[in-house]
PDB file of all heavy atoms in Angstrom:
ATOM      1  N   HIS A   1      70.413  61.111  44.429  1.00 94.00           N
ATOM      2  CA  HIS A   1      69.396  61.653  43.536  1.00 94.00           C
ATOM      3  C   HIS A   1      68.903  63.040  43.897  1.00 94.00           C
ATOM      4  O   HIS A   1      67.972  63.553  43.275  1.00 94.00           O
ATOM      5  CB  HIS A   1      68.181  60.708  43.489  1.00 94.00           C
ATOM      6  CG  HIS A   1      68.468  59.423  42.755  1.00 94.00           C
ATOM      7  ND1 HIS A   1      68.279  59.262  41.436  1.00 94.00           N
ATOM      8  CD2 HIS A   1      68.977  58.269  43.225  1.00 94.00           C
ATOM      9  CE1 HIS A   1      68.614  58.017  41.095  1.00 94.00           C
ATOM     10  NE2 HIS A   1      69.039  57.390  42.137  1.00 94.00           N
ATOM     11  N   GLY A   2      69.513  63.676  44.879  1.00 96.00           N
ATOM     12  CA  GLY A   2      69.090  65.028  45.246  1.00 96.00           C
ATOM     13  C   GLY A   2      67.690  65.042  45.776  1.00 96.00           C
ATOM     14  O   GLY A   2      66.929  65.950  45.469  1.00 96.00           O
ATOM     15  N   ALA A   3      67.329  64.048  46.602  1.00 97.00           N
ATOM     16  CA  ALA A   3      66.007  63.988  47.176  1.00 97.00           C
ATOM     17  C   ALA A   3      66.015  64.595  48.576  1.00 97.00           C
ATOM     18  O   ALA A   3      67.040  65.055  49.089  1.00 97.00           O
ATOM     19  CB  ALA A   3      65.535  62.531  47.243  1.00 97.00           C
ATOM     20  N   ILE A   4      64.852  64.638  49.212  1.00 98.00           N
ATOM     21  CA  ILE A   4      64.736  65.074  50.600  1.00 98.00           C
ATOM     22  C   ILE A   4      64.689  63.797  51.471  1.00 98.00           C
ATOM     23  O   ILE A   4      63.861  62.932  51.211  1.00 98.00           O
ATOM     24  CB  ILE A   4      63.458  65.897  50.857  1.00 98.00           C
ATOM     25  CG1 ILE A   4      63.478  67.154  49.967  1.00 98.00           C
ATOM     26  CG2 ILE A   4      63.344  66.275  52.335  1.00 98.00           C
ATOM     27  CD1 ILE A   4      62.161  67.934  50.014  1.00 98.00           C
ATOM     28  N   CYS A   5      65.588  63.689  52.422  1.00 98.00           N
ATOM     29  CA  CYS A   5      65.587  62.556  53.339  1.00 98.00           C
ATOM     30  C   CYS A   5      65.059  63.060  54.673  1.00 98.00           C
ATOM     31  O   CYS A   5      65.611  63.980  55.305  1.00 98.00           O
ATOM     32  CB  CYS A   5      66.971  61.974  53.504  1.00 98.00           C
ATOM     33  SG  CYS A   5      66.986  60.457  54.509  1.00 98.00           S
ATOM     34  N   TYR A   6      63.953  62.457  55.124  1.00 98.00           N
ATOM     35  CA  TYR A   6      63.262  62.877  56.337  1.00 98.00           C
ATOM     36  C   TYR A   6      63.330  61.787  57.364  1.00 98.00           C
ATOM     37  O   TYR A   6      62.751  60.705  57.188  1.00 98.00           O
ATOM     38  CB  TYR A   6      61.806  63.234  56.006  1.00 98.00           C
ATOM     39  CG  TYR A   6      60.900  63.549  57.213  1.00 98.00           C
ATOM     40  CD1 TYR A   6      61.340  64.415  58.203  1.00 98.00           C
ATOM     41  CD2 TYR A   6      59.644  62.970  57.275  1.00 98.00           C
ATOM     42  CE1 TYR A   6      60.504  64.672  59.271  1.00 98.00           C
ATOM     43  CE2 TYR A   6      58.814  63.267  58.369  1.00 98.00           C
ATOM     44  CZ  TYR A   6      59.240  64.125  59.345  1.00 98.00           C
ATOM     45  OH  TYR A   6      58.422  64.412  60.409  1.00 98.00           O
ATOM     46  N   LEU A   7      64.056  62.006  58.446  1.00 97.00           N
ATOM     47  CA  LEU A   7      64.199  61.056  59.547  1.00 97.00           C
ATOM     48  C   LEU A   7      63.227  61.421  60.637  1.00 97.00           C
ATOM     49  O   LEU A   7      63.438  62.341  61.426  1.00 97.00           O
ATOM     50  CB  LEU A   7      65.644  61.060  60.084  1.00 97.00           C
ATOM     51  CG  LEU A   7      66.759  60.861  59.040  1.00 97.00           C
ATOM     52  CD1 LEU A   7      68.113  60.874  59.715  1.00 97.00           C
ATOM     53  CD2 LEU A   7      66.533  59.560  58.297  1.00 97.00           C
ATOM     54  N   ASP A   8      62.115  60.663  60.686  1.00 96.00           N
ATOM     55  CA  ASP A   8      61.032  60.945  61.604  1.00 96.00           C
ATOM     56  C   ASP A   8      61.341  60.362  63.004  1.00 96.00           C
ATOM     57  O   ASP A   8      61.751  59.203  63.095  1.00 96.00           O
ATOM     58  CB  ASP A   8      59.739  60.329  61.043  1.00 96.00           C
ATOM     59  CG  ASP A   8      58.505  60.748  61.807  1.00 96.00           C
ATOM     60  OD1 ASP A   8      58.559  61.803  62.472  1.00 96.00           O
ATOM     61  OD2 ASP A   8      57.501  60.043  61.723  1.00 96.00           O
ATOM     62  N   GLU A   9      61.130  61.150  64.038  1.00 93.00           N
ATOM     63  CA  GLU A   9      61.387  60.771  65.401  1.00 93.00           C
ATOM     64  C   GLU A   9      62.868  60.351  65.565  1.00 93.00           C
ATOM     65  O   GLU A   9      63.191  59.232  66.004  1.00 93.00           O
ATOM     66  CB  GLU A   9      60.457  59.667  65.895  1.00 93.00           C
ATOM     67  CG  GLU A   9      59.002  60.095  65.955  1.00 93.00           C
ATOM     68  CD  GLU A   9      58.760  61.216  66.969  1.00 93.00           C
ATOM     69  OE1 GLU A   9      59.614  61.460  67.849  1.00 93.00           O
ATOM     70  OE2 GLU A   9      57.680  61.863  66.848  1.00 93.00           O
ATOM     71  N   ILE A  10      63.760  61.244  65.217  1.00 93.00           N
ATOM     72  CA  ILE A  10      65.181  60.994  65.203  1.00 93.00           C
ATOM     73  C   ILE A  10      65.720  60.541  66.561  1.00 93.00           C
ATOM     74  O   ILE A  10      66.670  59.731  66.631  1.00 93.00           O
ATOM     75  CB  ILE A  10      65.954  62.231  64.712  1.00 93.00           C
ATOM     76  CG1 ILE A  10      67.472  62.018  64.598  1.00 93.00           C
ATOM     77  CG2 ILE A  10      65.652  63.441  65.643  1.00 93.00           C
ATOM     78  CD1 ILE A  10      67.846  61.104  63.462  1.00 93.00           C
ATOM     79  N   VAL A  11      65.110  60.992  67.650  1.00 90.00           N
ATOM     80  CA  VAL A  11      65.616  60.634  68.987  1.00 90.00           C
ATOM     81  C   VAL A  11      65.393  59.174  69.300  1.00 90.00           C
ATOM     82  O   VAL A  11      65.999  58.651  70.254  1.00 90.00           O
ATOM     83  CB  VAL A  11      64.987  61.499  70.092  1.00 90.00           C
ATOM     84  CG1 VAL A  11      65.369  62.930  69.929  1.00 90.00           C
ATOM     85  CG2 VAL A  11      63.479  61.354  70.106  1.00 90.00           C
ATOM     86  N   GLU A  12      64.548  58.469  68.527  1.00 90.00           N
ATOM     87  CA  GLU A  12      64.343  57.044  68.769  1.00 90.00           C
ATOM     88  C   GLU A  12      65.494  56.203  68.233  1.00 90.00           C
ATOM     89  O   GLU A  12      65.652  55.051  68.626  1.00 90.00           O
ATOM     90  CB  GLU A  12      63.025  56.607  68.102  1.00 90.00           C
ATOM     91  CG  GLU A  12      61.785  57.264  68.651  1.00 90.00           C
ATOM     92  CD  GLU A  12      61.565  56.917  70.133  1.00 90.00           C
ATOM     93  OE1 GLU A  12      61.925  55.796  70.552  1.00 90.00           O
ATOM     94  OE2 GLU A  12      60.953  57.744  70.843  1.00 90.00           O
ATOM     95  N   ALA A  13      66.277  56.763  67.356  1.00 88.00           N
ATOM     96  CA  ALA A  13      67.410  56.005  66.745  1.00 88.00           C
ATOM     97  C   ALA A  13      68.571  55.940  67.746  1.00 88.00           C
ATOM     98  O   ALA A  13      68.746  56.802  68.612  1.00 88.00           O
ATOM     99  CB  ALA A  13      67.852  56.640  65.433  1.00 88.00           C
ATOM    100  N   ARG A  14      69.408  54.940  67.575  1.00 85.00           N
ATOM    101  CA  ARG A  14      70.601  54.834  68.444  1.00 85.00           C
ATOM    102  C   ARG A  14      71.559  55.969  68.159  1.00 85.00           C
ATOM    103  O   ARG A  14      71.664  56.515  67.059  1.00 85.00           O
ATOM    104  CB  ARG A  14      71.302  53.494  68.139  1.00 85.00           C
ATOM    105  CG  ARG A  14      70.445  52.270  68.411  1.00 85.00           C
ATOM    106  CD  ARG A  14      71.269  50.966  68.374  1.00 85.00           C
ATOM    107  NE  ARG A  14      72.329  50.963  67.396  1.00 85.00           N
ATOM    108  CZ  ARG A  14      72.525  49.967  66.518  1.00 85.00           C
ATOM    109  NH1 ARG A  14      71.717  48.920  66.501  1.00 85.00           N
ATOM    110  NH2 ARG A  14      73.543  49.973  65.699  1.00 85.00           N
ATOM    111  N   LYS A  15      72.305  56.367  69.226  1.00 81.00           N
ATOM    112  CA  LYS A  15      73.230  57.499  69.110  1.00 81.00           C
ATOM    113  C   LYS A  15      74.291  57.236  68.066  1.00 81.00           C
ATOM    114  O   LYS A  15      74.691  58.154  67.367  1.00 81.00           O
ATOM    115  CB  LYS A  15      73.884  57.778  70.454  1.00 81.00           C
ATOM    116  CG  LYS A  15      72.898  58.115  71.588  1.00 81.00           C
ATOM    117  CD  LYS A  15      72.102  59.339  71.295  1.00 81.00           C
ATOM    118  CE  LYS A  15      71.159  59.695  72.448  1.00 81.00           C
ATOM    119  NZ  LYS A  15      70.288  60.849  72.149  1.00 81.00           N
ATOM    120  N   ASP A  16      74.801  56.005  67.982  1.00 80.00           N
ATOM    121  CA  ASP A  16      75.859  55.727  67.010  1.00 80.00           C
ATOM    122  C   ASP A  16      75.311  55.756  65.583  1.00 80.00           C
ATOM    123  O   ASP A  16      76.108  55.886  64.647  1.00 80.00           O
ATOM    124  CB  ASP A  16      76.502  54.383  67.302  1.00 80.00           C
ATOM    125  CG  ASP A  16      75.511  53.206  67.222  1.00 80.00           C
ATOM    126  OD1 ASP A  16      74.327  53.406  67.582  1.00 80.00           O
ATOM    127  OD2 ASP A  16      75.900  52.114  66.773  1.00 80.00           O
ATOM    128  N   THR A  17      74.029  55.675  65.437  1.00 84.00           N
ATOM    129  CA  THR A  17      73.422  55.717  64.107  1.00 84.00           C
ATOM    130  C   THR A  17      73.257  57.188  63.671  1.00 84.00           C
ATOM    131  O   THR A  17      73.556  57.539  62.531  1.00 84.00           O
ATOM    132  CB  THR A  17      72.062  55.025  64.058  1.00 84.00           C
ATOM    133  OG1 THR A  17      72.222  53.659  64.402  1.00 84.00           O
ATOM    134  CG2 THR A  17      71.428  55.094  62.684  1.00 84.00           C
ATOM    135  N   THR A  18      72.815  58.025  64.580  1.00 86.00           N
ATOM    136  CA  THR A  18      72.579  59.438  64.216  1.00 86.00           C
ATOM    137  C   THR A  18      73.840  60.193  63.887  1.00 86.00           C
ATOM    138  O   THR A  18      73.803  61.173  63.165  1.00 86.00           O
ATOM    139  CB  THR A  18      71.798  60.168  65.339  1.00 86.00           C
ATOM    140  OG1 THR A  18      72.544  60.056  66.538  1.00 86.00           O
ATOM    141  CG2 THR A  18      70.411  59.571  65.539  1.00 86.00           C
ATOM    142  N   VAL A  19      74.986  59.725  64.397  1.00 88.00           N
ATOM    143  CA  VAL A  19      76.257  60.384  64.113  1.00 88.00           C
ATOM    144  C   VAL A  19      76.533  60.389  62.617  1.00 88.00           C
ATOM    145  O   VAL A  19      77.228  61.324  62.105  1.00 88.00           O
ATOM    146  CB  VAL A  19      77.402  59.683  64.890  1.00 88.00           C
ATOM    147  CG1 VAL A  19      78.752  60.203  64.415  1.00 88.00           C
ATOM    148  CG2 VAL A  19      77.228  59.942  66.380  1.00 88.00           C
ATOM    149  N   VAL A  20      76.018  59.408  61.859  1.00 91.00           N
ATOM    150  CA  VAL A  20      76.297  59.330  60.450  1.00 91.00           C
ATOM    151  C   VAL A  20      75.777  60.529  59.666  1.00 91.00           C
ATOM    152  O   VAL A  20      76.255  60.831  58.578  1.00 91.00           O
ATOM    153  CB  VAL A  20      75.730  58.005  59.858  1.00 91.00           C
ATOM    154  CG1 VAL A  20      74.228  58.116  59.679  1.00 91.00           C
ATOM    155  CG2 VAL A  20      76.368  57.647  58.549  1.00 91.00           C
ATOM    156  N   ILE A  21      74.785  61.257  60.234  1.00 93.00           N
ATOM    157  CA  ILE A  21      74.245  62.392  59.506  1.00 93.00           C
ATOM    158  C   ILE A  21      75.050  63.684  59.708  1.00 93.00           C
ATOM    159  O   ILE A  21      74.859  64.671  58.997  1.00 93.00           O
ATOM    160  CB  ILE A  21      72.760  62.689  59.919  1.00 93.00           C
ATOM    161  CG1 ILE A  21      72.690  63.202  61.352  1.00 93.00           C
ATOM    162  CG2 ILE A  21      71.910  61.444  59.700  1.00 93.00           C
ATOM    163  CD1 ILE A  21      71.301  63.644  61.756  1.00 93.00           C
ATOM    164  N   HIS A  22      76.003  63.662  60.647  1.00 94.00           N
ATOM    165  CA  HIS A  22      76.751  64.880  60.967  1.00 94.00           C
ATOM    166  C   HIS A  22      77.463  65.495  59.731  1.00 94.00           C
ATOM    167  O   HIS A  22      77.360  66.699  59.527  1.00 94.00           O
ATOM    168  CB  HIS A  22      77.751  64.634  62.096  1.00 94.00           C
ATOM    169  CG  HIS A  22      77.108  64.574  63.420  1.00 94.00           C
ATOM    170  ND1 HIS A  22      77.823  64.506  64.619  1.00 94.00           N
ATOM    171  CD2 HIS A  22      75.790  64.576  63.789  1.00 94.00           C
ATOM    172  CE1 HIS A  22      76.962  64.465  65.636  1.00 94.00           C
ATOM    173  NE2 HIS A  22      75.730  64.509  65.155  1.00 94.00           N
ATOM    174  N   PRO A  23      78.174  64.699  58.928  1.00 94.00           N
ATOM    175  CA  PRO A  23      78.849  65.327  57.789  1.00 94.00           C
ATOM    176  C   PRO A  23      77.884  65.897  56.753  1.00 94.00           C
ATOM    177  O   PRO A  23      78.237  66.795  55.991  1.00 94.00           O
ATOM    178  CB  PRO A  23      79.663  64.161  57.168  1.00 94.00           C
ATOM    179  CG  PRO A  23      79.738  63.128  58.203  1.00 94.00           C
ATOM    180  CD  PRO A  23      78.506  63.277  59.045  1.00 94.00           C
ATOM    181  N   LEU A  24      76.633  65.385  56.738  1.00 95.00           N
ATOM    182  CA  LEU A  24      75.636  65.877  55.828  1.00 95.00           C
ATOM    183  C   LEU A  24      74.939  67.147  56.341  1.00 95.00           C
ATOM    184  O   LEU A  24      74.408  67.901  55.570  1.00 95.00           O
ATOM    185  CB  LEU A  24      74.579  64.813  55.558  1.00 95.00           C
ATOM    186  CG  LEU A  24      74.843  63.745  54.518  1.00 95.00           C
ATOM    187  CD1 LEU A  24      73.743  62.700  54.516  1.00 95.00           C
ATOM    188  CD2 LEU A  24      75.000  64.372  53.113  1.00 95.00           C
ATOM    189  N   ALA A  25      74.979  67.302  57.661  1.00 95.00           N
ATOM    190  CA  ALA A  25      74.223  68.383  58.286  1.00 95.00           C
ATOM    191  C   ALA A  25      75.041  69.637  58.566  1.00 95.00           C
ATOM    192  O   ALA A  25      74.578  70.535  59.221  1.00 95.00           O
ATOM    193  CB  ALA A  25      73.568  67.879  59.583  1.00 95.00           C
ATOM    194  N   ASP A  26      76.286  69.659  58.064  1.00 92.00           N
ATOM    195  CA  ASP A  26      77.055  70.894  58.204  1.00 92.00           C
ATOM    196  C   ASP A  26      77.527  71.319  56.810  1.00 92.00           C
ATOM    197  O   ASP A  26      77.049  70.800  55.803  1.00 92.00           O
ATOM    198  CB  ASP A  26      78.212  70.726  59.204  1.00 92.00           C
ATOM    199  CG  ASP A  26      79.165  69.590  58.840  1.00 92.00           C
ATOM    200  OD1 ASP A  26      79.307  69.306  57.651  1.00 92.00           O
ATOM    201  OD2 ASP A  26      79.764  69.008  59.747  1.00 92.00           O
ATOM    202  N   ASP A  27      78.472  72.262  56.735  1.00 92.00           N
ATOM    203  CA  ASP A  27      78.828  72.794  55.433  1.00 92.00           C
ATOM    204  C   ASP A  27      79.576  71.834  54.545  1.00 92.00           C
ATOM    205  O   ASP A  27      79.779  72.077  53.353  1.00 92.00           O
ATOM    206  CB  ASP A  27      79.639  74.076  55.613  1.00 92.00           C
ATOM    207  CG  ASP A  27      80.903  73.870  56.481  1.00 92.00           C
ATOM    208  OD1 ASP A  27      81.147  72.722  56.905  1.00 92.00           O
ATOM    209  OD2 ASP A  27      81.620  74.866  56.726  1.00 92.00           O
ATOM    210  N   ARG A  28      79.988  70.648  55.084  1.00 94.00           N
ATOM    211  CA  ARG A  28      80.615  69.643  54.201  1.00 94.00           C
ATOM    212  C   ARG A  28      79.606  69.008  53.270  1.00 94.00           C
ATOM    213  O   ARG A  28      79.926  68.765  52.109  1.00 94.00           O
ATOM    214  CB  ARG A  28      81.275  68.536  55.078  1.00 94.00           C
ATOM    215  CG  ARG A  28      82.475  68.976  55.826  1.00 94.00           C
ATOM    216  CD  ARG A  28      82.950  67.896  56.795  1.00 94.00           C
ATOM    217  NE  ARG A  28      81.994  67.712  57.937  1.00 94.00           N
ATOM    218  CZ  ARG A  28      82.129  66.791  58.865  1.00 94.00           C
ATOM    219  NH1 ARG A  28      83.126  65.898  58.779  1.00 94.00           N
ATOM    220  NH2 ARG A  28      81.259  66.731  59.833  1.00 94.00           N
ATOM    221  N   ARG A  29      78.427  68.712  53.747  1.00 96.00           N
ATOM    222  CA  ARG A  29      77.364  68.059  52.967  1.00 96.00           C
ATOM    223  C   ARG A  29      77.913  66.813  52.235  1.00 96.00           C
ATOM    224  O   ARG A  29      77.782  66.665  51.006  1.00 96.00           O
ATOM    225  CB  ARG A  29      76.734  69.039  51.976  1.00 96.00           C
ATOM    226  CG  ARG A  29      75.790  70.039  52.687  1.00 96.00           C
ATOM    227  CD  ARG A  29      75.268  71.089  51.736  1.00 96.00           C
ATOM    228  NE  ARG A  29      74.504  70.549  50.610  1.00 96.00           N
ATOM    229  CZ  ARG A  29      73.202  70.252  50.659  1.00 96.00           C
ATOM    230  NH1 ARG A  29      72.528  70.390  51.766  1.00 96.00           N
ATOM    231  NH2 ARG A  29      72.577  69.797  49.549  1.00 96.00           N
ATOM    232  N   GLU A  30      78.565  65.950  53.012  1.00 96.00           N
ATOM    233  CA  GLU A  30      79.165  64.751  52.471  1.00 96.00           C
ATOM    234  C   GLU A  30      78.628  63.537  53.185  1.00 96.00           C
ATOM    235  O   GLU A  30      78.302  63.587  54.383  1.00 96.00           O
ATOM    236  CB  GLU A  30      80.669  64.781  52.603  1.00 96.00           C
ATOM    237  CG  GLU A  30      81.330  65.916  51.831  1.00 96.00           C
ATOM    238  CD  GLU A  30      82.825  66.018  52.121  1.00 96.00           C
ATOM    239  OE1 GLU A  30      83.267  65.468  53.198  1.00 96.00           O
ATOM    240  OE2 GLU A  30      83.554  66.633  51.310  1.00 96.00           O
ATOM    241  N   LEU A  31      78.598  62.414  52.481  1.00 96.00           N
ATOM    242  CA  LEU A  31      78.193  61.149  53.077  1.00 96.00           C
ATOM    243  C   LEU A  31      79.263  60.098  52.824  1.00 96.00           C
ATOM    244  O   LEU A  31      79.410  59.627  51.691  1.00 96.00           O
ATOM    245  CB  LEU A  31      76.849  60.685  52.488  1.00 96.00           C
ATOM    246  CG  LEU A  31      76.352  59.310  53.005  1.00 96.00           C
ATOM    247  CD1 LEU A  31      76.034  59.364  54.504  1.00 96.00           C
ATOM    248  CD2 LEU A  31      75.128  58.843  52.225  1.00 96.00           C
ATOM    249  N   PRO A  32      80.067  59.750  53.834  1.00 94.00           N
ATOM    250  CA  PRO A  32      81.062  58.714  53.642  1.00 94.00           C
ATOM    251  C   PRO A  32      80.408  57.321  53.697  1.00 94.00           C
ATOM    252  O   PRO A  32      79.641  57.036  54.630  1.00 94.00           O
ATOM    253  CB  PRO A  32      82.038  58.924  54.806  1.00 94.00           C
ATOM    254  CG  PRO A  32      81.216  59.619  55.873  1.00 94.00           C
ATOM    255  CD  PRO A  32      80.179  60.377  55.161  1.00 94.00           C
ATOM    256  N   VAL A  33      80.699  56.498  52.740  1.00 94.00           N
ATOM    257  CA  VAL A  33      80.197  55.099  52.731  1.00 94.00           C
ATOM    258  C   VAL A  33      81.413  54.205  52.781  1.00 94.00           C
ATOM    259  O   VAL A  33      82.017  53.895  51.756  1.00 94.00           O
ATOM    260  CB  VAL A  33      79.343  54.824  51.446  1.00 94.00           C
ATOM    261  CG1 VAL A  33      78.792  53.404  51.494  1.00 94.00           C
ATOM    262  CG2 VAL A  33      78.196  55.823  51.359  1.00 94.00           C
ATOM    263  N   GLU A  34      81.731  53.797  54.008  1.00 92.00           N
ATOM    264  CA  GLU A  34      82.978  53.017  54.205  1.00 92.00           C
ATOM    265  C   GLU A  34      82.955  51.679  53.490  1.00 92.00           C
ATOM    266  O   GLU A  34      84.008  51.238  52.995  1.00 92.00           O
ATOM    267  CB  GLU A  34      83.189  52.817  55.726  1.00 92.00           C
ATOM    268  CG  GLU A  34      83.427  54.116  56.492  1.00 92.00           C
ATOM    269  CD  GLU A  34      83.612  53.875  57.968  1.00 92.00           C
ATOM    270  OE1 GLU A  34      83.592  52.684  58.387  1.00 92.00           O
ATOM    271  OE2 GLU A  34      83.775  54.853  58.720  1.00 92.00           O
ATOM    272  N   LYS A  35      81.812  51.025  53.416  1.00 91.00           N
ATOM    273  CA  LYS A  35      81.739  49.704  52.780  1.00 91.00           C
ATOM    274  C   LYS A  35      82.069  49.767  51.284  1.00 91.00           C
ATOM    275  O   LYS A  35      82.523  48.798  50.688  1.00 91.00           O
ATOM    276  CB  LYS A  35      80.398  49.066  52.986  1.00 91.00           C
ATOM    277  CG  LYS A  35      80.118  48.697  54.465  1.00 91.00           C
ATOM    278  CD  LYS A  35      78.749  48.065  54.613  1.00 91.00           C
ATOM    279  CE  LYS A  35      78.495  47.685  56.052  1.00 91.00           C
ATOM    280  NZ  LYS A  35      77.145  47.089  56.272  1.00 91.00           N
ATOM    281  N   LEU A  36      81.824  50.942  50.702  1.00 92.00           N
ATOM    282  CA  LEU A  36      82.120  51.116  49.274  1.00 92.00           C
ATOM    283  C   LEU A  36      83.457  51.846  49.075  1.00 92.00           C
ATOM    284  O   LEU A  36      84.001  51.907  47.959  1.00 92.00           O
ATOM    285  CB  LEU A  36      81.015  51.936  48.566  1.00 92.00           C
ATOM    286  CG  LEU A  36      79.650  51.273  48.449  1.00 92.00           C
ATOM    287  CD1 LEU A  36      78.662  52.269  47.794  1.00 92.00           C
ATOM    288  CD2 LEU A  36      79.743  50.003  47.623  1.00 92.00           C
ATOM    289  N   GLY A  37      83.970  52.412  50.164  1.00 92.00           N
ATOM    290  CA  GLY A  37      85.217  53.182  50.050  1.00 92.00           C
ATOM    291  C   GLY A  37      84.985  54.482  49.250  1.00 92.00           C
ATOM    292  O   GLY A  37      85.903  54.948  48.568  1.00 92.00           O
ATOM    293  N   LEU A  38      83.766  55.050  49.367  1.00 94.00           N
ATOM    294  CA  LEU A  38      83.416  56.225  48.586  1.00 94.00           C
ATOM    295  C   LEU A  38      82.916  57.349  49.496  1.00 94.00           C
ATOM    296  O   LEU A  38      82.444  57.134  50.610  1.00 94.00           O
ATOM    297  CB  LEU A  38      82.311  55.906  47.569  1.00 94.00           C
ATOM    298  CG  LEU A  38      82.695  54.920  46.484  1.00 94.00           C
ATOM    299  CD1 LEU A  38      81.440  54.555  45.628  1.00 94.00           C
ATOM    300  CD2 LEU A  38      83.784  55.453  45.585  1.00 94.00           C
TER     301      LEU A  38
END
């Protein structure tokens, strides 16, 4: 929906969880959803 997603206190999350934001936080700006295959 083109919203703002704000992850508060990001360091409290598990390392394997924060990795999921990497494709969104660089010039790719993509979110892979493996369970949907999208």
Side-chain angles (χ1 to χ4, degrees):
H1 289 269
I4 300 172
C5 187
Y6 173 47
L7 306 180
D8 190 22
E9 296 297 343
I10 183 70
V11 295
E12 297 296 330
R14 299 191 325 228
K15 301 299 182 185
D16 61 325
T17 300
T18 56
V19 170
V20 76
I21 69 174
H22 283 188
L24 277 173
D26 57 30
D27 56 3
R28 288 173 291 176
R29 285 174 60 86
E30 297 174 339
L31 178 64
V33 181
E34 296 179 2
K35 292 180 179 179
L36 294 177
L38 295 174

